[in-house]
Amino acid sequence: AHLTKGEFKILQYLIRNRGTICNRHDLCLLFKRNNYVPSIRSIDIKVTRIRAKLLDSGHALIQTTHGVGYFID
């Protein structure tokens, strides 16, 4: 399955920051427009969808630091 633009944006950010925990608030700011910032929960859902798509292709890249954010080793 193909990644959506938003999913790709998150994956690209995590790859660029490989080895660093990216907090969920910073990931929300990737989608900031005017006065709109998405909820942290919407980021969690996007990451869940990315993981499912990557697992379908045999990859399990994204790790979780509970209560903080996500990272790729």
Side-chain angles (χ1 to χ4, degrees):
H2 296 285
L3 297 175
T4 66
K5 288 180 184 179
E7 292 165 350
F8 182 79
K9 189 182 277 193
I10 290 171
L11 183 59
Q12 185 178 45
Y13 185 86
L14 292 172
I15 290 170
R16 284 186 181 152
N17 293 283
R18 183 178 292 258
T20 302
I21 298 168
C22 300
N23 73 52
R24 291 160 42 204
H25 178 72
D26 289 345
L27 293 171
C28 286
L29 294 178
L30 291 174
F31 300 94
K32 182 179 178 181
R33 279 179 269 135
N34 301 328
N35 290 328
Y36 170 76
V37 178
S39 71
I40 286 174
R41 184 68 187 129
S42 69
I43 298 301
D44 295 338
I45 292 167
K46 286 185 188 310
V47 170
T48 298
R49 290 179 181 155
I50 295 167
R51 283 181 169 147
K53 291 176 182 180
L54 292 177
L55 281 176
D56 285 347
S57 65
H59 299 89
L61 295 172
I62 302 173
Q63 305 294 316
T64 301
T65 300
H66 290 283
V68 180
Y70 302 99
F71 69 98
I72 293 178
D73 257 340

